[in-house]
Every structure is written in C-alpha cells, then in structure tokens.
Amino acid sequence: MNSKPRTVEALHSSNSFHWVGNGFYVSSYFPNQELPAERVSPFLLMDYGPARDFSPLPEGKRGVGWHPHRGFETVTLAWEGAVAHRDNAGHAGVIGPGDVQWMTAASGIFHEEYHETEFTRRGGPLHMMQLWVNLPRKDKIAPPAYQPLLAAQIPTVPLPSGGTVRVIAGDFQATSGPARTFTPITMLDVHIRAGEPLSVPLPTSYNALVVVANGSVQSGSTLASTGELLLFANDGSAIELTASTDAHLIVLAGEPIDEPIVQYGPFVMNSTSEIRQAMLDVQRGKFGPLPYDLEG
Ligand code: MN
C-alpha cells in the first residue's frame, strides 16, 4: 500500500482564551483571518477548552443559557468533566469523559449547555472541545436531530506500540465510527506513544487538520506541540506523523462544502437574506416552542 504523505501547509496556535457563558473557557482556533472557515470546510468553528479546574459550586450552574442555532451542527467532545445539554426539540443528555454529542440544529433549535449538576457541585477539571460543522444548502433546513455518541459506542483501534485510535466518524483501518454525517467526515481521537508513527489515509480532496491536545508530534520537518494545530495541504493520499512524545491528538477531516458561507452569530447560511429569514423565524416562533415556555 503506497500512500503519498500530505505536506504541512501551516501550523496554527491560539492563545486568546474567552469565556462562553460562565462555564467554558475556550480558545477559538477558527474561523479567523489566518484560518477562514472556507479553508477548513466542512468545519466552521473550533473552540477548544484544555483541562481547567473548576471549584465546587454549592448552588447555581455554569454554562450558557438558551440560544438558537440554524444551518449547521454542533459537535461537543468531552475528555474530563461532564456537560449537560437540553434543547427545545426534546433532546437532552450528559456527555462525560470519552463521549461525543453530535447535535444537528439544521432548520433551527434553541438549546442550553451547562456543566452537569453533580460535576458542578463536586468541581474538578473540564476538558472539552466544540466544533461547528456546516451543512450543505440542501440540508440546512432539515429537521433537528441529536446523536449522543457514548464512549462505549465509539470503537477503538489499537496501534502497534500501544496507542489507540477512537473512531468517532468516518473510517480508520476498516473500523467505522458511529456518527451519521451529512457530508463525508473523518473524526479520530488519538492517543499515541512516543516514537509511534501514524498514517491516516484520506481522500486528497478532504480538508485535514490535526489538533495536538497534549504532547508533540512531527510531520515532515514540522514539529507541533501542545495547543498547536497542523493544517495539511491537499496534496497527498494520507496524513503521516510520528509522535515525539506520548501525545493526544484530534484528527479532523472532511470533504469541503463548496458553497458560500455567511455566518451571523448563531446562524450559518448561504446568503444574507437567509440570515435575515433566520432572525425573523426566531421571532415568529419557527424554531419551536420558546425556551421560557419549557421552564416550570
Ligand atoms: Mn450552542
């Protein structure tokens, strides 16, 4: 099996953290001027929250309250701590270590995202990531959906030197991930041992990036360390790297959606008129029952 390794196009990092609500202290890796959404399509946004300790909170909650989304999916991964989600399409769930929540906002939902109550009371580290995944024009007004992908459902492929590859979406070495996606996506959660090589064959057309959550890896002549993101050129049949230390990586890849991207706050559509329509539809109650009607 001959694979032509892709070259590293760029190394990105993010040092600017911000709070999402009062619960998620994250760094936004994209979109921005250096890494526009078009270059990482079908991914739109990546907020990464490295492990951070939260003190026990005897009452109240931490997170972000009811807000709408339309036109895309939110994918939340947790490695430490626990995040509770609830939406007005009737979906609710908790994602804990190793779990992934794949939420299709599509035609429109309101949801809230908080630290799970028991975790809030107990305190401890939270380590998470949220991705926004775009939908093609034809699916932007599909019905909302919800896939709780629990750790036990996510298959693990062992690597020869003791590492592991958890397949969330797409395939790795003939193992398929459980996520149902609208467009082809590969999402892998990788733990790799120092000195171990990793080759992930991908169609050349896929945009592909690797986030180094911990440790360091080398690809070609580029060394990427904790907190850095490797963007690969679309010039080969596989991404190839070797771990310099034990490392935790997230591999994100997918077929680009070649359509205009217009984002305004929590809406991602193809045109400004569709954004205006989304704002009108929120006011007209077309995103389902308003959240305050769900309270009490
Ligand atoms: Mn949200």
Side-chain angles (χ1 to χ4, degrees):
M1 187 174 81
N2 290 318
S3 59
K4 179 182 180 294
R6 293 185 181 213
T7 55
V8 173
E9 180 173 302
L11 188 64
H12 293 272
S13 58
S14 173
N15 298 308
S16 59
F17 282 83
H18 66 273
W19 285 95
V20 176
N22 64 351
F24 305 101
Y25 192 64
V26 298
S27 204
S28 295
Y29 282 72
F30 57 80
N32 54 46
Q33 215 162 4
E34 291 74 41
L35 203 47
E38 287 79 4
R39 181 64 190 90
V40 291
S41 175
F43 304 101
L44 289 163
L45 173 150
M46 180 186 130
D47 274 355
Y48 176 55
R52 177 192 173 86
D53 260 306
F54 285 87
S55 59
L57 191 67
E59 57 184 57
K61 48 189 184 179
R62 293 185 174 116
V64 53
W66 292 107
H67 58 278
H69 289 297
R70 173 180 274 184
F72 62 101
E73 302 181 288
T74 64
V75 178
T76 308
L77 301 87
W79 291 278
E80 295 180 84
V83 180
H85 157 100
R86 184 162 65 127
D87 68 39
N88 70 341
H91 310 117
V94 173
I95 54 163
D99 299 338
V100 176
Q101 177 207 81
W102 203 292
M103 201 273 296
T104 306
S107 65
I109 53 106
F110 279 88
H111 76 162
E112 58 173 20
E113 303 161 272
Y114 283 102
H115 294 197
E116 184 262 334
T117 305
E118 200 178 307
F119 169 65
T120 307
R121 301 289 171 262
R122 189 176 65 239
L126 179 67
H127 180 192
M128 53 75 66
M129 175 182 283
Q130 185 167 90
L131 296 155
W132 290 10
V133 176
N134 206 2
L135 291 172
R137 179 183 275 117
K138 68 179 177 54
D139 296 315
K140 280 187 179 293
I141 53 164
Y146 182 75
Q147 301 175 67
L149 308 173
L150 302 180
Q153 300 166 253
I154 299 172
T156 299
V157 178
L159 296 173
S161 312
T164 54
V165 176
R166 301 172 65 237
V167 186
I168 298 164
D171 302 298
F172 178 74
Q173 294 183 359
T175 294
S176 297
R180 293 185 310 275
T181 65
F182 284 81
T183 59
I185 289 173
T186 297
M187 187 178 295
L188 309 174
D189 184 32
V190 178
H191 282 86
I192 188 169
R193 294 282 174 83
E196 191 163 46
L198 178 72
S199 176
V200 182
L202 293 167
T204 304
S205 58
Y206 278 27
N207 288 329
L209 43 100
V210 169
V211 181
V212 183
N214 197 41
S216 58
V217 298
Q218 180 138 4
S219 182
S221 58
T222 305
L223 183 73
S225 298
T226 304
E228 292 184 314
L229 180 158
L230 284 161
L231 173 68
F232 288 86
N234 298 68
D235 64 352
S237 55
I239 55 175
E240 296 190 355
L241 53 84
T242 302
S244 306
T245 67
D246 288 359
H248 176 203
L249 315 171
I250 300 104
V251 176
L252 303 171
E255 186 67 43
I257 298 169
D258 188 17
E259 294 175 1
I261 298 170
V262 182
Q263 183 193 343
Y264 184 80
F267 312 119
V268 183
M269 303 301 289
N270 298 115
S271 68
T272 50
S273 66
E274 288 166 341
I275 294 289
R276 278 196 297 275
Q277 188 65 47
M279 294 164 78
L280 272 174
D281 286 350
V282 164
Q283 289 168 17
R284 290 171 178 164
K286 292 195 175 172
F287 279 43
L290 290 171
Y292 46 75
D293 294 333
L294 299 174
E295 305 290 352

